[in-house]
Amino acid sequence: RALGKPERALLAFERARALGEEGSGPTLGIALSRAEMHQMGEALQVVKEGLDRYPQDRALRTLYEDLLRKTRTPGSAPDRSGSGR
């Protein structure tokens, strides 16, 4: 089976992380590749691990929130958009 773009990207980002590339870039790339391959649970796990290492990273936090919204089923969590907080 030939690898598609998300799979090739995933391999490249995993290699970068394995080689010790610093920063959240490889983690973001891995999570985005997984999400593009419809592996939302895996994508969320990668982002959680990234946030453990880089808790102040705004891009990781934003991606985590976006992935949660995409995986949440209707009615699974209260809508707080109008709470005024």
Side-chain angles (χ1 to χ4, degrees):
R1 176 181 180 269
L3 295 179
K5 286 183 182 181
E7 291 90 355
R8 286 194 307 262
L10 176 62
L11 290 174
F13 287 118
E14 286 178 337
R15 180 172 166 82
R17 187 165 69 172
L19 292 173
E21 186 170 321
E22 291 295 316
S24 62
T27 301
L28 285 165
I30 292 168
L32 288 168
S33 296
R34 294 264 182 216
E36 192 170 329
M37 294 186 303
H38 306 284
Q39 298 174 355
M40 296 303 185
E42 292 90 342
L44 275 169
Q45 185 60 40
V46 168
V47 175
K48 284 180 192 177
E49 291 168 6
L51 284 169
D52 286 344
R53 187 163 184 193
Y54 305 104
Q56 301 303 318
D57 191 285
R58 187 175 283 172
L60 283 172
R61 192 161 302 284
T62 299
L63 180 57
Y64 183 74
E65 292 167 0
D66 288 346
L67 290 171
L68 279 180
R69 275 193 292 276
K70 289 179 183 179
T71 58
R72 189 176 295 142
T73 56
S76 66
D79 179 15
R80 295 187 179 151
S81 61
S83 67
R85 291 184 199 183

